[in-house]
């Protein structure tokens, strides 16, 4: 079964977004750093709106990380700007 989106929000500090997904009966916390949010689209922004607009892409990246993660099912994962760049390159190859 694939991971399922639960919720997302921007930390009050504005330094990162947090996405919660459920997989195999456990909630997984994915921390999306500020640079990753800025990398999502133009103009670069790292705010609540960008997080909400980018949820589809963030969930795709997080799903691949969850499925390939061999750590604890409760460990945190992170999405960085390099993850977003790799995702964009993969998407451009597929289309």
């Amino acid at each position: 079964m694939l991971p399922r989106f639960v919720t997302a929000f921007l930390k009050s500090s504005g330094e990162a977004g947090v996405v919660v997904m459920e997989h195999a009966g456990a909630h997984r916390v994915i921390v999306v750093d500020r640079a990753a949010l800025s990398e999502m689209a133009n103009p670069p922004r790292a705010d609540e709106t960008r997080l909400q607009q980018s949820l589809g892409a963030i969930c795709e990246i997080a799903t691949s990380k969850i499925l390939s993660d061999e750590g604890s099912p409760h460990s945190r994962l992170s999405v960085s700007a390099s993850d977003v760049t790799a995702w964009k390159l993969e998407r451009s190859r597929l289309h």
Side-chain angles (χ1 to χ4, degrees):
M1 181 181 235
L2 291 175
R4 181 180 70 84
F5 171 78
V6 176
T7 190
F9 56 91
L10 194 67
K11 286 185 166 186
S12 60
S13 66
E15 289 303 310
V18 176
V19 176
V20 179
M21 297 182 77
E22 182 180 31
H23 183 249
H27 282 116
R28 299 298 300 266
V29 175
I30 296 89
V31 178
V32 184
D33 69 31
R34 189 171 186 78
L37 288 173
S38 292
E39 185 67 27
M40 283 293 177
N42 282 321
R45 279 194 336 253
D47 58 14
E48 182 74 28
T49 301
R50 179 69 66 189
L51 176 65
Q52 298 301 325
Q53 291 170 339
S54 304
L55 275 176
I58 292 167
C59 287
E60 281 184 38
I61 295 166
T63 294
S64 69
K65 286 183 160 238
I66 289 169
L67 295 177
S68 65
D69 183 38
E70 296 178 6
S72 163
H74 302 287
S75 63
R76 288 182 179 210
L77 297 172
S78 63
V79 173
S80 66
S82 61
D83 293 324
V84 174
T85 301
W87 175 83
K88 285 180 177 180
L89 285 171
E90 185 64 26
R91 298 269 304 176
S92 69
R93 284 185 223 156
L94 296 175
H95 294 285

